[in-house]
């Protein structure tokens, strides 16, 4: 198993203006010491409520924003501290698929030109045959030659996501970071896009970091899952182990939020109450303690480190062996 991406102790704090006029600026720890590996050919799911820092991680990995500290090694090369000139050829190997493809597609460009552009920018095609290559990519994602000369507004949400995927694939990346790629789509279209992503992974040997707030989607897509809460990873293991027996109460609550066919099974549910706390002022000790039904005094003062609780199953919880009593299903 080759490691394509190695992330160690990644940190990013934003300084935000307070809400009231004259209020002091607040330091928001968006990513607070995150470490994980991504193996070649696998799909790692990064899951958590909105605001937990998962999209910030995506941007840090691509160096769209600069980390405060930590290490990101991609294919053996350290990206943190690398000059933009050194970074440019590596960016080709790391592509992103966005939640809302429409906002990332130039409305004045024909679809064939949108897909052709990265081929030309990175010198992967010449002007004579770039159109043929772009059309072949459109075929790969399930669009037809007839659609090549249309504009983005003439397509449905699912088709626009296919265009975004074709553009990402154009530069033959090794790693694709998919940030909520199906959240904005109708339920009926989601399965099609997920199937497409899985087919392309097999065809092109892609490695995916799949970001989602929905464990229901992650289950169908990912080999391993990292669960995030307030800027930290609180559980990390294989998808199979996570869904069979979570070791963190937050994961248990997220799993209980996934709709089940039999509502009668809901009586012992752990339901999350309240909003995710502000990362500008996180709770003391374990950040999850105000929402956690397993919490005790220790949890209010001591932050639990991410530890291996079972072979290959990591969780940050003082009482992880007790987790499961609210589990549905
Ligand atoms: Fe809950 Fe305590 Fe575990 Fe945190 S450490 S998840 S508060 S039981």
């Amino acid at each position: 198993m080759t490691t394509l991406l190695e992330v160690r102790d990644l940190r990013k704090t934003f300084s935000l203006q307070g809400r009231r006029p004259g209020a002091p600026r607040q330091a928001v720890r968006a990513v607070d010491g995150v470490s994980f590996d991504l193996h070649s050919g696998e799909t790692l799911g990064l899951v958590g409520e909105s605001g937990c820092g998962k999209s910030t991680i995506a941007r840090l990995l691509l160096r769209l924003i600069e980390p405060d500290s930590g290490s990101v090694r991609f294919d053996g090369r350290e990206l943190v501290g690398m000059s933009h000139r050194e970074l440019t050829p590596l960016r080709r190997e790391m592509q992103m698929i966005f939640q809302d493809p429409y906002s990332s597609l130039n409305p004045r460009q024909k679809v064939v030109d949108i897909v052709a552009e990265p081929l030309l920018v990175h010198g992967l095609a010449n002007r004579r045959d770039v159109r043929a290559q772009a059309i072949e990519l459109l075929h790969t994602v399930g669009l037809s030659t007839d659609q090549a000369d249309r504009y983005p507004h003439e397509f449905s949400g699912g088709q626009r996501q296919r265009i975004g995927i074709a553009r990402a694939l154009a530069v033959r990346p090794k790693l694709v970071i998919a940030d909520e790629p199906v959240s904005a789509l109708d339920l009926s279209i989601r399965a099609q896009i997920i199937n497409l992503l899985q087919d392309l992974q097999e065809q092109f040997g892609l490695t995916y970091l799949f970001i989602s707030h929905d464990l229901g989607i992650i289950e169908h897509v990912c080999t391993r899952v990292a669960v995030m809460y307030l800027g930290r990873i609180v559980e990390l293991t294989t998808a199979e182990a996570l869904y069979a027996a979570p070791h963190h109460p937050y994961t248990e609550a997220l799993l209980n939020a996934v709709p089940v066919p039999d509502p009668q099974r809901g009586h012992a549910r752990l339901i999350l109450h309240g909003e995710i706390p502000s990362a500008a002022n996180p709770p003391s000790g374990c950040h999850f303690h105000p929402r956690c039904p397993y919490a005790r005094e220790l949890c209010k003062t001591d932050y639990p480190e991410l530890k291996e609780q079972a072979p290959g199953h990591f969780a940050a919880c003082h009482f992880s062996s007790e987790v499961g009593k609210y589990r549905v299903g």
Side-chain angles (χ1 to χ4, degrees):
M1 198 160 35
T2 321
T3 301
L4 181 64
L5 186 75
E6 212 179 286
V7 179
R8 292 292 176 269
D9 203 20
L10 196 62
R11 292 174 192 272
K12 180 69 185 177
T13 300
F14 295 107
S15 171
L16 297 185
Q17 186 62 54
R19 285 195 191 150
R20 275 170 288 137
R25 295 185 77 81
Q26 293 181 308
V28 175
R29 281 192 216 161
V31 177
D32 193 7
V34 163
S35 302
F36 63 89
D37 288 341
L38 188 51
H39 307 129
S40 289
E42 79 165 339
T43 301
L44 175 70
L46 202 52
V47 72
E49 288 165 286
S50 87
C52 71
K54 48 195 194 309
S55 293
T56 304
I57 289 184
R59 281 154 182 77
L60 289 171
L61 298 182
L62 296 175
R63 289 267 313 271
L64 299 176
I65 52 176
E66 295 296 330
D68 298 334
S69 61
S71 161
V72 178
R73 290 184 76 80
F74 174 71
D75 218 6
R77 286 158 292 184
E78 177 61 59
L79 301 189
V80 176
M82 199 178 249
S83 71
H84 284 279
R85 181 191 285 235
E86 291 170 301
L87 206 55
T88 302
L90 289 179
R91 283 232 167 92
R92 180 174 82 69
E93 298 178 21
M94 306 167 77
Q95 290 294 304
M96 189 142 172
I97 298 171
F98 298 91
Q99 176 179 5
D100 176 10
Y102 195 51
S103 62
S104 68
L105 302 176
N106 183 343
R108 292 192 190 86
Q109 261 186 323
K110 289 178 183 172
V111 160
V112 68
D113 295 329
I114 289 173
V115 177
E117 193 171 43
L119 289 168
L120 292 171
V121 167
H122 291 281
L124 297 170
N126 56 43
R127 296 225 163 252
R128 208 183 50 226
D129 43 57
V130 69
R131 180 178 169 88
Q133 280 191 43
I135 288 176
E136 199 182 318
L137 278 159
L138 291 174
H139 291 171
T140 305
V141 299
L143 296 171
S144 66
T145 307
D146 292 349
Q147 293 169 310
D149 291 306
R150 295 188 192 162
Y151 292 88
H153 73 268
E154 298 177 72
F155 291 86
S156 67
Q159 288 172 324
R160 288 200 284 254
Q161 194 53 290
R162 287 175 191 269
I163 299 164
I165 293 169
R167 186 180 52 182
L169 278 186
V171 291
R172 300 173 209 149
K174 290 180 179 167
L175 170 66
V176 173
I177 299 178
D179 190 2
E180 302 272 9
V182 296
S183 308
L185 303 178
D186 290 344
L187 271 182
S188 56
I189 308 295
R190 286 183 187 182
Q192 292 176 20
I193 297 297
I194 284 174
N195 289 341
L196 173 67
L197 288 171
Q198 288 177 320
D199 290 347
L200 295 173
Q201 181 171 41
E202 213 171 294
Q203 196 177 340
F204 296 101
L206 299 170
T207 303
Y208 288 142
L209 182 66
F210 194 100
I211 296 172
S212 178
H213 65 280
D214 183 348
L215 268 174
I217 289 173
I218 290 275
E219 183 176 12
H220 297 291
V221 184
C222 299
T223 15
R224 289 188 306 135
V225 184
V227 180
M228 285 194 70
Y229 191 75
L230 276 188
R232 295 179 177 178
I233 291 179
V234 295
E235 185 156 10
L236 173 64
T237 186
T238 62
E240 202 182 343
L242 188 98
Y243 287 86
H247 281 33
H248 195 283
Y250 179 57
T251 313
E252 186 181 16
L254 290 181
L255 286 171
N256 283 349
V258 176
V260 289
D262 178 5
Q264 294 302 317
R265 293 195 291 163
H267 53 86
R269 284 185 153 199
L270 191 177
I271 304 289
L272 276 182
H273 295 289
E275 296 281 308
I276 188 167
S278 163
N281 189 17
S284 61
C286 173
H287 296 340
F288 188 56
H289 84 255
R291 302 168 89 187
C292 180
Y294 298 89
R296 297 184 206 158
E297 281 308 306
L298 174 69
C299 307
K300 295 182 188 167
T301 53
D302 289 22
Y303 190 86
E305 294 303 321
L306 190 68
K307 281 196 199 133
E308 194 165 19
Q309 313 282 355
H313 196 148
F314 298 82
C317 174
H318 295 304
F319 304 105
S320 77
S321 60
E322 297 176 19
V323 175
K325 67 181 176 197
Y326 297 96
R327 183 72 206 281
V328 177

